[in-house]
């Protein structure tokens, strides 16, 4: 049995949104010694817990360099939250996205093999799925609608084959949308909050359906998955609920004190190949972990709005 507690853990991307939430949890509730590796492309040093050890590192570099870092720090478990996650940018920089989200994942897995890390959680994405109705299971077809999605699908495949080829102890977690404090990109929720902080008008693209999970819940469940999941497997992770983006905007408007909002459809904000419905089926995940999401969508939005306001009505980027 794997136990992620009272041990040395590496979080790649630990200065970012989800990664920093994970670092906090590992230190404050799991009593772990945490090494944060981050190249600070989108992460911020101020998000790193004061008790974590921080080292600037780019996982696109030689995997032998990463292996040495892991050995020197006696790393037992590793979480890879490093990614280029902001989908609109992948349309202009596809090679950059693939290098970080796919090729660099192979570097990480190879480094973990060399350094005998006992467990790796690779964060994937629901964006690997195509357009489907209802809840999505891991056996549903993969049909990514962006370079970002393709890169994450490739990372999934690498986790599965490197376990079978080289016994690299990895698990791929297909994360659905998350919200919460320390957002690092103006994707959906932060964008809506920013616009509604200035007026009752909000401009949005397509009215697609998304599954939103609170970041604090997501990272706790991720640790449980690394402890109890099967190596070489993939697992969905989401709230199993969801909301259409226009309804989300109205809810955020209400929480921000607007009696009503003026919602405008902006064609320039529409994705070239939209995925209209993303909603997780956590059945496979729940077959191996006991923890369930605790924070509701409304409460998660309140916490995100409060963070924005406490930060001077702006985001960290």
């Amino acid at each position: 049995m794997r136990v992620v507690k009272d041990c040395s853990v590496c979080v790649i991307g630990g200065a970012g949104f989800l990664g920093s939430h994970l670092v906090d949890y590992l230190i404050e509730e799991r009593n772990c010694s945490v090494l944060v590796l981050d190249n600070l492309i989108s992460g911020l040093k101020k998000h790193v817990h004061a008790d974590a050890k921080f080292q600037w590192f780019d996982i696109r570099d030689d995997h032998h360099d990463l292996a040495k870092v892991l050995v020197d720090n006696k790393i037992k478990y590793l979480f890879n939250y490093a990614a280029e996650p902001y989908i609109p940018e992948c349309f202009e920089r596809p090679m950059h996205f693939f290098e970080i989200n796919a090729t660099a994942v192979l570097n990480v897995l190879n480094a973990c093999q060399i350094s005998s890390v006992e467990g790796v959680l690779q964060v994937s994405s629901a964006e690997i799925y195509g357009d489907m109705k209802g809840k999505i299971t891991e056996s549903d077809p993969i049909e990514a609608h962006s370079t970002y999605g393709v890169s994450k699908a490739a990372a999934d495949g690498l986790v599965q084959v490197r376990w079978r080829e080289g016994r690299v102890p990895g698990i791929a977690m297909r994360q659905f949308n998350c919200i919460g404090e320390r957002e690092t990109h103006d994707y959906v929720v932060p964008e809506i909050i920013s616009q509604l902080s200035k007026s009752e008008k909000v401009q949005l693209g397509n009215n697609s359906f998304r599954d939103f999970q609170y970041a604090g819940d997501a990272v706790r469940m991720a640790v449980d998955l690394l402890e109890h999941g099967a190596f070489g497997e993939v697992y969905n992770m989401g709230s199993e609920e969801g909301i259409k983006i226009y309804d989300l905007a109205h809810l955020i408007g209400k929480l921000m004190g607007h009696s009503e909002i003026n919602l405008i459809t902006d064609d320039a904000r529409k994705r070239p190949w939209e995925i209209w419905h993303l909603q997780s089926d956590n059945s496979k995940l729940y077959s191996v972990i006991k923890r369930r999401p605790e924070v509701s969508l409304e409460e998660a939005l309140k916490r995100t709005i409060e963070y924005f306001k406490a930060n001077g009505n702006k985001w960290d980027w």
Side-chain angles (χ1 to χ4, degrees):
M1 180 179 174
R2 302 180 294 274
V3 180
V4 185
K5 187 176 182 181
D6 301 314
C7 61
S8 295
V9 180
C10 177
V11 180
I12 303 177
F17 172 36
L18 289 175
S20 64
H21 279 268
L22 173 63
V23 173
D24 289 356
Y25 172 61
L26 290 170
I27 291 174
E28 295 174 6
E29 299 185 46
R30 292 289 187 128
N31 196 38
C32 290
S33 298
V34 179
L35 169 67
V36 171
L37 301 181
D38 204 301
N39 62 10
L40 301 179
I41 289 178
S42 57
L44 293 171
K45 187 86 175 286
K46 74 174 190 176
H47 290 164
V48 179
H49 195 287
D51 292 337
K53 179 181 178 181
F54 175 82
Q55 180 175 337
W56 188 96
F57 196 92
D58 194 316
I59 56 174
R60 291 173 292 180
D61 295 340
D62 193 305
H63 67 269
H64 291 95
D65 294 338
L66 176 57
K68 184 178 186 306
V69 170
L70 300 179
V71 170
D72 289 347
N73 287 276
K74 298 180 174 60
I75 298 301
K76 188 172 184 179
Y77 299 110
L78 182 144
F79 295 81
N80 186 17
Y81 275 80
E84 275 287 8
Y86 188 48
I87 294 170
E89 291 183 355
C90 82
F91 309 140
E92 303 295 331
R93 308 172 70 198
M95 184 66 75
H96 175 72
F97 269 67
F98 201 84
E99 286 176 346
I100 292 178
N101 296 343
T103 306
V105 171
L106 183 55
N107 275 348
V108 172
L109 295 172
N110 287 345
C112 289
Q113 181 182 30
I114 293 171
S115 57
S116 300
V117 167
E118 295 181 22
V120 184
L121 188 75
Q122 171 61 44
V123 181
S124 182
S125 170
E127 285 285 335
I128 69 171
Y129 295 113
D131 216 10
M132 290 176 238
K133 295 180 180 179
K135 293 182 178 181
I136 301 169
T137 71
E138 293 83 355
S139 61
D140 281 321
I142 292 174
E143 187 184 28
H145 286 197
S146 65
T147 304
Y148 170 79
V150 171
S151 68
K152 285 297 190 177
D156 268 21
L158 288 168
V159 169
Q160 294 172 78
V161 300
R162 290 303 295 142
W163 167 246
R164 288 162 179 81
E165 291 175 345
R167 312 312 283 177
V168 182
I171 297 170
M173 181 181 73
R174 294 173 178 171
Q175 181 71 66
F176 284 67
N177 292 76
C178 284
I179 53 176
E181 307 88 341
R182 298 178 225 148
E183 295 258 15
T184 53
H185 294 83
D186 54 343
Y187 182 66
V188 188
V189 170
E191 176 64 19
I192 294 171
I193 292 173
S194 294
Q195 292 190 43
L196 291 178
S197 71
K198 300 170 185 175
S199 71
E200 77 287 346
K201 183 172 72 174
V202 58
Q203 300 182 56
L204 296 171
N206 286 324
N207 189 23
S208 52
F209 183 100
R210 291 293 185 268
D211 178 323
F212 291 97
Q213 182 181 15
Y214 178 58
D217 285 338
V219 299
R220 285 165 171 78
M221 293 167 67
V223 173
D224 291 355
L225 176 59
L226 183 55
E227 290 181 325
H228 302 289
F231 292 142
E233 291 292 327
V234 298
Y235 296 85
N236 285 347
M237 168 86 76
S239 70
E240 290 198 304
E241 299 178 355
I243 188 172
K244 285 195 170 184
I245 300 302
Y246 291 6
D247 292 334
L248 178 68
H250 283 288
L251 175 56
I252 292 173
K254 177 184 175 183
L255 295 174
M256 294 182 71
H258 294 287
S259 57
E260 61 180 35
I261 66 170
N262 179 17
L263 201 154
I264 301 168
T265 299
D266 181 1
D267 289 340
R269 296 174 183 271
K270 294 180 178 179
R271 288 171 56 169
W273 191 9
E274 182 62 270
I275 297 178
W276 291 98
H277 192 103
L278 285 178
Q279 183 180 14
S280 182
D281 183 322
N282 288 354
S283 297
K284 184 176 179 180
L285 175 69
Y286 290 162
S287 72
V288 296
I289 72 168
K290 295 180 180 180
R291 193 186 303 268
R292 300 293 184 266
E294 298 177 2
V295 179
S296 68
L297 173 61
E298 186 166 325
E299 176 60 28
L301 290 171
K302 287 180 181 177
R303 295 183 187 185
T304 309
I305 293 167
E306 287 169 4
Y307 180 82
F308 174 76
K309 290 181 176 179
N311 203 42
N313 273 17
K314 65 181 186 298
W315 302 105
D316 291 319
W317 63 83

